Structures are given as C-alpha cells and as structure tokens.
Amino acid sequence: MPKVYVDKPKAIVFDFVGSAVKIGFIEKGLYAYIKKYGVKYLEERWNTKECRQLIANLKHQVEKDKEKDQNIPALEADSAALKTQVNAVISNLNWYLDKGRETNAHYKLKFAMWKDAYENQRLETHIYSDAARNIKKWRKAGIKTYIFSNAWHELQKLFLRFTTFGNLARNIDGYFDTEIGNPTDPETYKKIMEMIKVKKGSDMLFITKSPQEAFAARSAGIIAILIISHATQQKQIEPSVLEAFQVIKTFDQLKFTDEEEEAEEPEREEDYN
C-alpha cells in the first residue's frame, strides 16, 4: 500500500467510528446487545434509583415525541406489571434504534446498559488492529492524540477502555463530541485547536472518513486526511472529492517525514460481522 507522508504534527485528532472502530460493531455489537439483553438488564435493576430516573426521563421524552408522531410505541403506566413495563421500554428503545432516531433520554439509557456490559466483560469494542497499533505509536512519539466524534464523550472513553486490544484510553489525551460544535463547521475545529493549545493549523492533523468534516477542518487551516477503508465506502464518495485529499486505507499508511522506514504492514482487516 502506498504511504502518505506528512510533517510530524503536535496533535492528531481522529474520527472514531469507521476510522478506528469497525462500523459494523455499532449495529451488530452495541445495538444487538440491547435487543438481546435489554430486558434482563431492566428486570434486574428496575427498582434502583438510577434506573427509575432513566425510565422517568424516557417517559417524559416519549410523551413529548408522541405529540408529533402517534406511531411511537407507548410506555406503560407504573401500575402495570413489571414484565409489561419492561417489554414496553425495550419495544420503544428498539423502535428508536430501527428508525435511527436519537434523544438524550434514549441515549442515557443505552449508555447505562452498555456501561454495565463493558464493566462486566460482556462487551468489548472492536478496533481495527492498525488503529490500535498507531494510537500507541503516536503516544510514544510524543504526539497528543484526541478523538472527535458524534458519540457522547463519556461513551468514547468507555469504548476505548475496553477494546479487543486492551485499554487504549490511556493513550488518548482528550475527547470531543458535538457539544463543542458541528463537525462540518470550520469554527468547530478552531475551537478544538484553542482547547488543545495548538496555535497553527499545520501542527494539527485531522483524520476522518467524512469528506464534509475534512473540508471543514481544511477551511480552518488544519491538515485533513481521509481514511476510506473499504470499497463500499469509496463508492459513496465522488471521485473529485477523493482527488482533493490524501487518502489512506489504514493508519499504517500514514508516515511522518522524519520517520524511519518500516516493514510493509498488512491491509486492514474486514469490518465487524
């Protein structure tokens, strides 16, 4: 695979899902876990203070959403049998998952389920091997490393604490989510530069699978590289866009100009299935 050379940056910021985490893991790993074990989780914790608050927030959100969409599965009253209430919550959660809809209340409930699963070794994040290898390498090279993702920053931390390559969170200097700004807005990247104390855009490297995010970062003066791992991703992007950026398939292709040559690394493995 051809190598892409850049000057060694002071900081690397990278997108998460699809760049480092296998895309299929979200649906076939995280979402599948909720559909398979969500009932058990709720039945065991239904009367805890934390769970009751999560359910109360969910009910409030669903009542609000149903004013605009009556197709949303309703939640049951507190007087209903436990199993009936639990099944209604899971049906509602799955409906939102299948529709690709997200609310803070749904997100927090899913996070609680995933956190329990990770901490009890029932889930681990499937990271591409080249991503794990290079995250560690950048750390040793003294490069500050950050994640910028649509995922809540606490979920990002959880993802990286429990991976197929161990605890990678210790190699990450910080996490950014959309609270800092829209990923397609150049001002967002200027804010990130300010937060991580990088004065020049040329001292920061941004790696993403999204052309829109790459254009935004470049508009902020930051070096942007696209990572397109599989042919299905490449087909979804206009050739003119691919020509506008340096493109890598794996993190192994990224080399710094002062870096010694290494043996050829294998191609990136297939997506999670």
Side-chain angles (χ1 to χ4, degrees):
M1 293 181 291
K3 296 178 174 60
V4 171
Y5 287 90
V6 297
D7 289 337
K8 182 180 175 181
K10 292 183 178 178
I12 294 177
V13 180
F14 61 93
D15 176 27
F16 201 48
V17 177
S19 298
V21 176
K22 297 182 179 182
I23 294 177
F25 172 68
I26 303 303
E27 182 177 347
K28 298 174 184 177
L30 294 179
Y31 292 173
Y33 180 86
I34 288 175
K35 292 182 177 183
K36 187 173 182 179
Y37 297 107
V39 168
K40 184 175 185 293
Y41 173 89
L42 290 175
E43 286 180 341
E44 291 177 350
R45 294 162 181 79
W46 190 258
N47 291 317
T48 64
K49 183 178 179 181
E50 178 189 20
C51 189
R52 297 310 303 158
Q53 186 60 59
L54 289 168
I55 299 303
N57 293 343
L58 191 70
K59 284 186 175 181
H60 177 75
Q61 183 65 54
V62 171
E63 288 173 4
K64 183 179 177 181
D65 289 352
K66 280 184 71 66
E67 293 175 2
K68 298 178 181 179
D69 188 349
Q70 288 299 313
N71 293 318
I72 296 174
L75 300 183
E76 295 289 338
D78 292 343
S79 57
L82 172 61
K83 193 167 189 64
T84 301
Q85 292 188 65
V86 167
N87 286 338
V89 169
I90 295 301
S91 293
N92 180 275
L93 204 56
N94 287 336
W95 188 89
Y96 275 78
L97 283 174
D98 293 339
K99 296 293 183 181
R101 292 170 64 168
E102 191 72 270
T103 74
N104 188 56
H106 288 82
Y107 200 93
K108 292 295 178 66
L109 179 56
K110 289 186 293 185
F111 176 77
M113 292 181 181
W114 290 330
K115 185 172 185 289
D116 176 75
Y118 273 108
E119 291 179 346
N120 287 285
Q121 300 180 325
R122 291 192 293 270
L123 266 180
E124 58 181 3
T125 306
H126 285 249
I127 299 277
Y128 286 112
S129 59
D130 61 277
R133 186 163 50 245
N134 282 277
I135 288 170
K136 294 175 183 177
K137 185 177 80 172
W138 298 336
R139 183 73 167 187
K140 289 181 180 178
I143 300 170
K144 297 289 186 180
T145 307
Y146 303 86
I147 292 174
F148 179 33
S149 170
N150 288 321
W152 184 35
H153 63 276
E154 291 296 334
L155 183 56
Q156 296 175 35
K157 293 177 187 177
L158 186 67
F159 274 178
L160 281 178
R161 278 176 57 208
F162 304 95
T163 83
T164 45
F165 293 91
N167 182 359
L168 294 177
R170 59 171 62 100
N171 299 286
I172 303 299
D173 293 281
Y175 304 83
F176 297 99
D177 55 29
T178 51
E179 285 187 7
I180 198 168
N182 190 314
T184 60
D185 183 354
E187 291 301 315
T188 300
Y189 297 89
K190 293 178 182 178
K191 289 179 184 176
I192 291 176
M193 283 179 59
E194 184 178 349
M195 291 285 290
I196 65 178
K197 295 180 171 56
V198 170
K199 295 181 179 179
K200 296 188 301 180
S202 58
D203 285 335
M204 175 174 152
L205 174 64
F206 179 56
I207 306 171
T208 178
K209 66 182 181 298
S210 166
Q212 293 83 3
E213 293 177 6
F215 276 118
R218 177 185 282 178
S219 295
I222 293 164
I223 300 168
I225 288 180
L226 282 175
I227 182 162
I228 309 297
S229 301
H230 304 295
T232 51
Q233 292 174 277
Q234 188 164 337
K235 290 177 182 177
Q236 297 169 2
I237 302 174
E238 291 291 333
S240 59
V241 173
L242 294 174
E243 292 172 2
F245 293 95
Q246 290 180 300
V247 180
I248 56 177
K249 289 185 177 180
T250 83
F251 284 2
D252 285 331
Q253 285 179 265
L254 180 63
K255 301 295 179 183
F256 306 129
T257 50
D258 62 349
E259 193 174 358
E260 293 183 6
E261 286 291 330
E262 297 177 345
E264 193 73 21
E265 297 290 352
E267 291 198 5
R268 175 166 272 191
E269 62 265 33
E270 291 300 310
D271 196 8
Y272 180 89
N273 53 49

